[in-house]
Amino acid sequence: MPSLLLGLLSLRAIRSESVQRQFKQKQRQRQIAGLLETDLKGWLFSPKLNGAVSQSLLRFTIDDSHIVFPDFRFAIPPERNATQVPFASSKRTLRNKEPLNEVDASLDARTIENLYYPRIQAFLRDRDLGINSSAQYFLRLKAMVVQFPGTHNGYVLGSSQLMEYAKRRLDDLTASEDFYGVFLITSPGGLAESALSGAEVVTLNDFAFFRVVFTSKESGGFSFQKNILLYSITLMTLVMILGVVFMYRAISHEMAASQLKADFVSAVSHEFRTPLSSILVLVERLDSGRVSEGDMLRRYHHTLRQETRRLGVLIEKLLDFAQIQEGKRKFSFERVNLAEISAEAVGLFRESDQAERLEEIHFGPATPTYVLADRTAIVQCMQNLIENALKYSPSGSPVRVRFGRRNGTPFIEVLDQGIGIPRREQKKIFEKFYRAQNARGLNVQGTGIGLALVKRIMEAHGGSIAVQTTLGMGSSFSLLFKKPLEE
Ligand code: ADP
């Protein structure tokens, strides 16, 4: 689930990033289309620049409602039908004297009359009706009729000149962009825009015929779309892989947890069964009346006491653990002397067969160290640590209890010369039900809740528990307290 969420979030992030990128690109493209339009207007309407004019096919002037073609010295009155022979202003025949360019050379009176004249007329009519501004494109003629604003002068410009100019300008304007623009002349609505899906089509504001189609410079055109698809596929694959990994981890974690619980139940049953069965055997023997010797009787009673105590400790441990787990454990903090607490804990083992292994050491200055603590809880922590130290070290090896202050921090620690704990398990041993591999291998009894209990108790004291251990050499577990109280 978290991976899916992660995936969806990144997909959303990529999408929103791409949407933002697209938005910025569109803005830039519209800006460029605007710049092109300004250039185009300058080129078309500024006689001073002489750009479009020098390339025009045909110049005309409106002379007293007559359309006059000064370069050809003839004019056509507006009321004339286009099919009629043009009316020459000075001469009746076309004087193709000063052609403006090579194309113009092919112009003759008939072409002008049939092709250009009706369009110029239409242009003037539309202009008077306010339909167009000072320029109009005629698709079939492949030419544009332009009139210089505020003058009677105009000209006709062929589409190839127009295209050439627009292309040059567009190339310049998009030189440093990651897209390029294609200048198109189409009738409004005449462009199958669906065929250009992914490309941005911008219609120039004052020239409904002119459009610029912007496409990505990356290979294959419109590759941003392709990239998005690629991103999405890669991301989805990643999400799936992550999902499988997370699922695997969650399942194996779940399995490990249930394995731990199962181990715990069997460990607890085992811990109960062992003292119970020895109690049962001893009681049966005593009942039979066969044990009468004083020494033997004393030994039986001693063992019975020990086993019962063991059961009591176990039950208390389980109840404490349950209480702490539910957050119900109440602590009553008081001023306690570390030396007293440590002596009390060690005292609990006085009657056990391991008693002689225990050693108490005062660390640092002889002044007593007082801390604010729940006496019973700390004694319980010590008891757990001492039991472990005895359990996980060879019989006969010493177990030391040391207390005092180190760098101002009050501490009590239990040191042994036992089996130690592998490095990768040193953190896990404080988790509930966890038992290290080497301990399980030794077939040492335990429930895996002792250290978890100690950890919670120390946290409730604002302190902590630390371990220093070397595999096969021994361990030291330290209860670290917040700060010492004034003496
Ligand atoms: P357990 O009931 O198994 O002793 P604990 O929570 O007290 O449970 O300890 C957890 C695990 O930490 C033990 O199973 C053991 O693997 C390891 N451990 C604890 N104390 C020692 C120690 N003194 N030396 C080596 N290993 C220890």
Side-chain angles (χ1 to χ4, degrees):
M1 273 326 267
S3 69
L4 201 67
L5 210 68
L6 197 83
L8 285 175
L9 283 178
S10 359
L11 197 67
R12 277 192 62 176
I14 284 192
R15 268 194 59 186
S16 78
E17 199 196 310
S18 86
V19 165
Q20 268 183 15
R21 221 184 104 179
Q22 265 180 323
F23 180 73
K24 275 195 188 144
Q25 204 178 49
K26 276 188 183 179
Q27 266 188 331
R28 185 79 193 114
Q29 289 168 344
R30 281 173 192 282
Q31 237 175 5
I32 286 178
L35 290 173
L36 174 73
E37 182 162 1
T38 312
D39 284 358
L40 209 57
K41 280 181 180 165
W43 189 64
L44 288 172
F45 298 127
S46 166
K48 277 169 265 118
L49 292 178
N50 220 23
V53 186
S54 69
Q55 309 218 24
S56 63
L57 300 174
L58 187 62
R59 283 201 294 150
F60 65 86
T61 52
I62 315 296
D63 188 2
D64 203 14
S65 298
H66 286 59
I67 300 169
V68 181
F69 302 99
D71 296 316
F72 298 96
R73 306 274 169 88
F74 79 98
I76 303 166
E79 68 278 2
R80 291 292 298 263
N81 187 314
T83 55
Q84 286 177 320
V85 180
F87 165 78
S89 60
S90 51
K91 292 193 174 180
R92 286 199 62 85
T93 49
L94 176 72
R95 232 186 78 209
N96 202 0
K97 203 176 95 189
E98 292 165 356
L100 293 170
N101 54 38
E102 282 175 37
V103 187
D104 298 339
S106 66
L107 283 180
D108 57 24
R110 186 155 291 276
T111 318
I112 292 174
E113 182 200 10
N114 289 339
L115 289 181
Y116 297 106
Y117 174 70
R119 264 61 175 226
I120 295 171
Q121 259 191 327
F123 161 74
L124 294 174
R125 186 194 58 227
D126 285 358
R127 187 206 57 190
D128 292 342
L129 290 173
I131 294 176
N132 59 35
S133 50
S134 303
Q136 191 168 349
Y137 194 83
F138 294 93
L139 202 62
R140 282 185 55 204
L141 188 64
K142 291 193 172 33
M144 187 161 188
V145 179
V146 180
Q147 187 187 10
F148 292 122
T151 70
H152 294 292
N153 303 323
Y155 59 90
V156 181
L157 184 76
S159 61
S160 56
Q161 286 91 337
L162 192 66
M163 294 289 282
E164 212 174 283
Y165 174 76
K167 183 182 177 322
R168 218 173 40 242
R169 286 306 303 133
L170 260 181
D171 285 352
D172 286 351
L173 288 167
T174 57
S176 55
E177 306 290 343
D178 53 3
F179 53 81
Y180 58 87
V182 176
F183 184 74
L184 291 183
I185 304 174
T186 60
S187 55
L191 183 69
E193 283 172 25
S194 59
L196 296 165
S197 69
E200 177 69 1
V201 182
V202 182
T203 304
L204 300 193
N205 286 336
D206 288 335
F207 304 104
F209 275 94
F210 301 156
R211 287 150 193 236
V212 186
V213 179
F214 290 102
T215 58
S216 168
K217 275 182 188 166
E218 290 161 48
S219 62
F222 321 142
S223 67
F224 188 57
Q225 302 289 320
K226 283 184 190 164
N227 278 349
I228 282 285
L229 194 72
L230 205 70
Y231 283 153
S232 311
I233 291 171
T234 318
L235 204 76
M236 285 317 288
T237 317
L238 212 72
V239 167
M240 268 165 64
I241 293 170
L242 273 174
V244 170
V245 169
F246 272 106
M247 208 135 85
Y248 174 78
R249 281 188 54 174
I251 289 174
S252 50
H253 194 265
E254 198 57 40
M255 277 170 66
S258 59
Q259 182 61 47
L260 278 183
K261 276 183 199 159
D263 288 352
F264 168 72
V265 172
S266 90
V268 170
S269 331
H270 193 69
E271 287 234 14
F272 270 114
R273 203 177 301 127
T274 320
L276 271 178
S277 47
S278 69
I279 289 172
L280 208 66
V281 169
L282 293 178
V283 171
E284 271 170 8
R285 286 206 190 150
L286 287 173
D287 274 354
S288 69
R290 272 182 283 157
V291 185
S292 51
E293 280 176 40
D295 246 14
M296 188 73 108
L297 262 179
R298 252 196 308 282
R299 270 205 355 244
Y300 271 38
H301 279 125
H302 176 75
T303 316
L304 275 174
R305 228 187 348 265
Q306 264 198 334
E307 295 297 340
T308 325
R309 195 185 136 266
R310 209 167 122 187
L311 277 178
V313 167
L314 182 63
I315 290 169
E316 231 167 80
K317 203 178 192 177
L318 289 172
L319 287 176
D320 273 339
F321 181 70
Q323 260 195 335
I324 269 204
Q325 279 285 101
E326 291 166 24
K328 285 185 184 160
R329 172 90 186 243
K330 296 269 181 296
F331 295 96
S332 54
F333 295 102
E334 56 179 317
R335 177 187 163 89
V336 289
N337 185 342
L338 288 189
E340 280 173 24
I341 282 203
S342 135
E344 192 176 330
V346 172
L348 291 175
F349 292 83
R350 197 167 295 127
E351 289 193 22
S352 87
D353 356 327
Q354 314 271 358
E356 73 280 3
R357 289 177 64 191
L358 285 173
E359 250 176 63
E360 257 187 289
I361 309 163
H362 191 158
F363 181 86
T367 47
T369 302
Y370 290 95
V371 292
L372 197 63
D374 180 313
R375 176 184 290 269
T376 326
I378 300 299
V379 169
Q380 199 183 2
C381 290
M382 295 282 302
Q383 199 179 351
N384 273 306
L385 297 184
I386 296 171
E387 268 173 12
N388 281 350
L390 294 169
K391 268 197 309 191
Y392 300 112
S393 54
S395 56
S397 65
V399 168
R400 296 193 173 94
V401 175
R402 196 151 64 162
F403 58 88
R405 288 184 214 181
R406 196 181 285 122
N407 302 326
T409 304
F411 74 92
I412 311 183
E413 62 192 11
V414 179
L415 304 97
D416 65 55
Q417 296 173 4
I419 59 172
I421 300 151
R423 185 180 289 274
R424 65 190 154 78
E425 290 185 291
Q426 285 174 14
K427 271 204 180 114
K428 290 186 178 170
I429 54 172
F430 298 103
E431 290 170 13
K432 62 182 178 188
F433 311 140
Y434 193 86
R435 305 199 67 214
Q437 198 65 48
N438 58 342
R440 276 183 282 165
L442 275 185
N443 210 9
V444 179
Q445 282 187 14
T447 54
I449 58 173
L451 288 181
L453 199 70
V454 175
K455 185 168 180 252
R456 301 279 173 87
I457 290 175
M458 287 315 290
E459 281 169 357
H461 279 71
S464 60
I465 173 154
V467 60
Q468 275 194 317
T469 168
T470 312
L471 203 58
M473 299 292 285
S475 315
S476 87
F477 283 86
S478 313
L479 303 180
L480 304 170
F481 294 88
K482 225 169 27 179
K483 56 177 191 299
L485 290 179
E486 297 295 316
E487 280 168 38

